[in-house]
Amino acid sequence: MTLTTAVPTSATDPFGDDVLADPLPFHHELREAGQVVHLERYDVYAMGRYAEVHAALVDWQRFQSGAGVGLSNFRREKPWRPPSLLLETDPPGHDAPRHVLEPILAPRSLRRLRESWQQTADDLVDSLLDRGTIDAVADLAEAYPLRVFPDAVGLGPDGREHLLPYGDHAFNAFGPPNHLVEKGQAGLPEVSGWVGEQCARDRLTPDGFGARIWEAADRGDITHDQAPLIVRSLLTAGVDTTVHALAAVIDGFLSAPDQWELLRRDPGRARVAFDEAIRWASPVQTFFRTATVDVPLGDAVIPAGEKILMFLGSANRDPRRWTDPDRFDLSRDPSGHVGFGMGLHQCVGQHVARLEAECVLRALASRVRAIEPAGESRRHLNNTLRAWASLPVRLVPA
Amino acid sequence: MLSGMSITSDASPRQVAPAAPSSGGKVGLRVTRVETLAEGVRGLTLSAADDGRLPDWTPGSHVDLTFDNGLTRQYSLCGDRWDPHTYRVAVLREPAGRGGSAYVHDELAEGDRVELAGPRNNFALAPADHYLFIAGGIGITPLLPMMEQAAMLDIPWTLLYGGRHRASMAFLDQLARWGDRVLVRPQDEYGLLDLSVIGDQPAGTKVYCCGPEPLLDAVRVAAAGLPAGHLRTERFVAGAIPPPVRSTSFEVELARSGVTVTVEPGSSVLDAVAGAGVPILASCRQGICGTCETGVIDGTPDHRDSLLDDEDRRRGDCFYPCVSRAACDLLVLDA
Ligand code: HEM
């Protein structure tokens, strides 16, 4: 059976500064062009519609991660660091690390953290209220995860300032070697060295996620060689993502002040609000897959071995799936968005992010009557993350 | 919302269905093939009733199948997970069994509907330098996909496979291709399994054993010198009876919202509760991701997820309303 390849093409650079600063027009083009589009600039394929992105994400048999979930093809190029045992590994290698990490980060394991995380959020918001005008990125979205997450993993007190630059670089490195990647190179040896050292058993407190990963190695569920790499996954994937997601939810409320009123009246909607922000802003915008066989899609064929860029952010605003997708709306059911991915590699840390966000939103909802813009907001560009550098806001006390 | 994807290498390209099943939280399966694998052993091949992808699984996983006669039984998956559209299980006829195996052997036919819960894995394959697999009879089933995967990872392994007599031992033809890695040891030819092989294994070997309780006991004794975590066993339980499955409607009371809803057989708890104006955030809708975890204040859940282990289930304080249901008249939830 021969199928003619009739793939629409696009000359746009999805990692260009203009697209990174505002990807929505490009996402629209991509979705309208077809089920799959060829990106000339990098000779890769792209999917922007919800149904296709969802179907490909769950189809790990035909869309693998082991050749890297960035532009670089690990079959041909050497990765910049040893590949992740989770994100960049296919079954069977993926099984044991995932099996070990899932229960450590499951909602029922996080219950013990809720009380102290809520207290930390309450204290932080109280102190911000004293100041009135704040930068919601530095003072809230960064400050809160950095207070709770490194402790929960079990990191020591020193060097935590390396976490954000490390994550920022790792997420840039999924894209092409552009100026954003270059920017991170200079400091990389130091930052990367620090992160590597923190994954060692003797650096971790005995009660954190990290220690539980090492205990799994003692039980023989993973090897002792795997343990530090799995700890590293938490440090790479767990900080910047949550920071930008928290900034996104604040931005959502700035875009729709009536939705803040809704949350104030019904703080039980905090979880929905956060996932709606993930859908609406998609802090993780893209990940690649590699076709393991020729995959026909409509009239086109994605040839085996080729990379496909999955636009999670575009899928999450596909009008074929979502009504009025550009609206940040607490009354919609955001369930099923692909902002945490879907299928085998779906974010194993999603419950951690949700708990952090719920604590912050509850603290804000009970103390803050209104969140108002208080200056020019600024985007932070990253090849994978949709992020804010600065969101000046005024917190009006209740 | 079908994506229209299909597989070229297939003679007849098939559609890939969206992963989120819309079958009221229950994954309906269809028996697509019934075959005799050995004396007293039937093989079932199962597909999703809507021909979509089946929930992902890993070697060592089992599923709960509920048959038309209301009986629910657990079976290890022994097929190929690179085929997302079929499950395979093998069922031993047990003279003393309580009707599950007799039903499969005497009545179940191709085309019949079966209900699915899980898959769950209490017997996961952990990394090792070498594996020794020990199977007693039908206990071979969870080990089959383990051997395939160990081979994919280039990890050397040996299988010691015992049974009453050769004709009663399933999958011998399939195992033949592994040559002398496989030691087939029917009892009428060799006597009881010689477990001294355990002591002969290289350091770093993990031993995986599935079979009847007396075999597991003997293996535990023979493997007493192994380091912690290096012996992993799963008992082949004949006729283990999970809690009763209701085919009728039940009530769900939402303690915080003060709402009570009726969940009809065709609807999931998640959908019923959302219909009553109390949406619970969800994601995978397959009992895999854990997003919709909801506290259970009173009542007995009928767990169908892939997340909770037996211990969690005994505690009974939470469940996943995207797939799980009630085994009682009224379930009171923290929602
Ligand atoms: C709102 C915040 C977050 C977002 C938007 C997010 C997004 C994602 C996405 C889209 C994936 C799927 C990648 C793929 O399919 O290739 C993923 C995977 C992953 N995430 Fe997150 N994440 C967040 C928070 C976290 C946190 C807090 C942690 C750690 C505690 C974490 C750890 C991971 C890991 C280890 C994986 C790889 C899982 C695997 O491949 O099996 N993430 N995340």
Side-chain angles (χ1 to χ4, degrees):
Chain A
M1 183 169 63
T2 16
L3 286 164
T4 44
T5 311
V7 190
T9 61
S10 166
T12 307
D13 178 3
F15 301 102
D17 284 0
D18 45 342
V19 175
L20 293 180
D22 179 12
L24 302 186
F26 176 64
H27 290 170
H28 176 77
E29 258 172 57
L30 201 59
R31 287 189 302 262
E32 293 310 305
Q35 289 176 295
V36 61
V37 176
H38 185 252
L39 302 178
E40 286 173 349
R41 168 89 186 223
Y42 301 107
D43 188 18
V44 295
Y45 294 82
M47 291 182 187
R49 296 185 189 171
Y50 178 86
E52 285 73 12
V53 169
H54 188 286
L57 283 174
V58 301
D59 190 352
W60 57 267
Q61 288 93 344
R62 291 192 297 168
F63 295 95
Q64 66 160 175
S65 295
V69 295
L71 179 62
S72 161
N73 192 328
F74 294 177
R75 297 182 190 178
R76 297 193 285 263
E77 295 162 66
K78 186 178 175 315
W80 69 279
R81 55 174 204 173
S84 162
L85 297 178
L86 289 131
L87 189 66
E88 296 158 329
T89 302
D90 298 312
H94 181 261
D95 298 347
R98 179 84 195 194
H99 195 77
V100 160
L101 202 45
E102 247 170 36
I104 296 176
L105 304 177
R108 55 198 181 285
S109 308
L110 303 178
R111 281 183 209 150
R112 66 184 173 91
L113 296 169
R114 178 180 280 270
E115 205 178 315
S116 77
W117 283 16
Q118 187 62 63
Q119 189 61 53
T120 305
D122 292 349
D123 294 346
L124 177 64
V125 172
D126 282 337
S127 74
L128 296 181
L129 273 171
D130 292 340
R131 290 166 48 193
T133 300
I134 61 157
D135 185 339
V137 176
D139 300 329
L140 183 67
E142 291 181 0
Y144 182 74
L146 286 174
R147 281 194 196 182
V148 296
F149 186 71
D151 284 348
V153 174
L155 297 189
D158 300 327
R160 292 177 175 199
E161 67 280 5
H162 293 314
L163 286 169
L164 285 171
Y166 182 72
D168 195 53
H169 183 74
F171 282 98
N172 273 326
F174 293 122
N178 57 14
H179 74 100
L180 295 170
V181 176
E182 268 159 43
K183 179 191 72 173
Q185 300 289 8
L188 189 61
E190 191 195 343
V191 170
S192 196
W194 178 85
V195 166
E197 284 161 20
Q198 307 320 304
C199 301
R201 176 166 225 165
D202 56 1
R203 294 296 183 94
L204 295 159
T205 57
D207 53 351
F209 303 145
R212 291 201 54 200
I213 291 169
W214 279 99
E215 283 162 19
D218 292 344
R219 286 195 308 271
D221 294 347
I222 47 171
T223 67
H224 284 96
D225 294 340
Q226 290 178 318
L229 276 177
I230 298 173
V231 178
R232 193 195 70 181
S233 301
L234 303 186
L235 302 184
T236 314
V239 192
D240 300 65
T241 47
T242 317
V243 166
H244 300 308
L246 285 173
V249 74
I250 299 298
D251 182 38
F253 286 119
L254 289 173
S255 80
D258 58 322
Q259 299 301 301
W260 182 250
E261 313 254 312
L262 199 57
L263 181 72
R264 294 251 304 137
R265 277 201 304 279
D266 182 4
R269 288 184 198 250
R271 274 169 65 79
V272 167
F274 184 61
D275 268 66
E276 168 65 353
I278 306 271
R279 180 201 68 78
W280 180 73
S282 302
V284 174
Q285 286 274 299
T286 48
F287 269 124
F288 284 87
R289 292 291 190 263
T290 308
T292 56
V293 291
D294 287 353
V295 182
L297 194 67
D299 299 332
V301 177
I302 302 173
E306 296 300 313
K307 286 253 171 180
I308 307 102
L309 185 49
M310 326 279 305
F311 282 83
L312 311 180
S314 171
N316 282 339
R317 290 199 187 209
D318 183 356
R320 294 163 190 79
R321 167 65 177 79
W322 310 97
T323 315
D324 208 357
D326 295 334
R327 236 182 85 80
F328 175 71
D329 179 3
L330 267 52
S331 308
R332 89 162 79 233
D333 182 358
S335 301
H337 71 72
V338 291
F340 284 119
M342 198 54 76
L344 207 67
H345 292 277
Q346 194 187 23
C347 183
V348 69
Q350 58 184 305
H351 310 295
V352 176
R354 288 199 181 100
L355 183 58
E356 291 183 47
E358 191 184 343
C359 291
V360 168
L361 289 176
R362 282 181 180 273
L364 286 168
S366 62
R367 291 168 173 76
V368 175
R369 182 163 55 78
I371 305 176
E372 297 167 349
E376 189 98 10
S377 51
R378 236 175 344 106
R379 282 280 172 195
H380 169 80
L381 300 191
N382 181 287
N383 282 333
T384 304
L385 303 171
R386 186 151 155 78
W388 290 105
S390 173
L391 277 177
V393 300
R394 190 164 26 255
L395 301 180
V396 183
Chain B
M1 275 200 323
L2 272 182
S3 69
M5 289 190 193
S6 51
I7 295 182
T8 25
S9 54
D10 256 70
S12 55
R14 65 190 164 212
Q15 301 289 309
V16 173
S22 52
S23 48
K26 288 189 272 185
V27 181
L29 301 179
R30 200 181 56 243
V31 180
T32 51
R33 183 152 184 216
V34 179
E35 62 198 307
T36 299
L37 296 175
E39 211 176 273
V41 180
R42 285 206 126 180
L44 305 182
T45 304
L46 305 152
S47 296
D50 65 1
D51 288 324
R53 279 182 71 92
L54 291 165
D56 288 325
W57 58 282
T58 47
S61 295
H62 67 270
V63 291
D64 289 19
L65 299 182
T66 303
F67 302 105
D68 255 359
N69 65 355
L71 287 177
T72 299
R73 291 294 179 269
Q74 302 187 331
Y75 301 104
S76 296
L77 291 173
C78 61
D80 173 12
R81 63 198 283 228
W82 271 263
D83 170 4
H85 296 273
T86 51
Y87 284 161
R88 293 192 70 200
V89 299
V91 182
L92 173 71
R93 176 195 284 279
E94 293 189 82
R98 291 192 238 179
S101 73
Y103 182 83
V104 170
H105 278 259
D106 300 334
E107 291 181 53
L108 194 70
E110 288 173 9
D112 283 1
R113 291 278 306 233
V114 176
E115 241 179 67
L116 168 75
R120 284 198 295 152
N121 197 341
N122 305 324
F123 191 42
L125 189 63
D129 301 329
H130 189 113
Y131 295 108
L132 172 63
F133 298 111
I134 304 176
I138 197 68
I140 187 70
T141 49
L143 303 178
L144 287 173
M146 294 188 184
M147 291 173 230
E148 298 284 344
Q149 291 209 177
M152 289 178 74
L153 292 167
D154 282 328
I155 302 173
W157 55 265
T158 307
L159 167 68
L160 181 61
Y161 182 13
R164 276 171 295 122
H165 55 274
R166 217 168 264 274
S168 71
M169 295 170 69
F171 303 109
L172 290 181
D173 46 344
Q174 185 177 325
L175 290 167
R177 72 188 171 101
W178 298 114
D180 58 9
R181 288 180 178 195
V182 174
L183 308 173
V184 177
R185 295 289 180 267
Q187 196 173 344
D188 62 349
E189 297 172 35
Y190 291 87
L192 288 177
L193 283 180
D194 175 12
L195 297 178
S196 66
V197 289
I198 295 176
D200 302 339
Q201 300 301 310
T205 299
K206 286 203 170 94
V207 180
Y208 277 76
C209 176
C210 182
E213 195 61 46
L215 173 64
L216 301 192
D217 284 341
V219 167
R220 282 187 201 108
V221 172
L226 292 183
H230 283 237
L231 170 63
R232 297 176 181 231
T233 59
E234 182 158 86
R235 188 156 67 105
F236 169 68
V237 195
I241 313 268
V245 170
R246 295 171 68 99
S247 48
T248 52
S249 65
F250 55 91
E251 306 270 290
V252 168
E253 181 185 320
L254 308 172
R256 273 188 280 140
S257 331
V259 176
T260 299
V261 288
T262 304
V263 184
E264 299 295 345
S267 162
S268 68
V269 175
L270 194 68
D271 290 338
V273 166
V278 189
I280 294 175
L281 191 72
S283 182
C284 74
R285 290 180 179 264
Q286 290 190 314
I288 292 171
C289 75
T291 301
C292 65
E293 184 171 303
T294 302
V296 174
I297 297 170
D298 201 14
T300 311
D302 166 12
H303 295 286
R304 289 164 178 239
D305 62 87
S306 302
L307 289 149
L308 300 180
D309 60 23
D310 291 342
E311 171 81 31
D312 294 325
R313 289 180 178 206
R314 262 193 301 278
R315 222 176 293 128
D317 59 354
C318 67
F319 89 137
Y320 302 92
C322 64
V323 290
S324 297
R325 308 180 64 80
C328 56
D329 295 337
L330 174 70
L331 207 54
V332 183
L333 303 181
D334 185 14

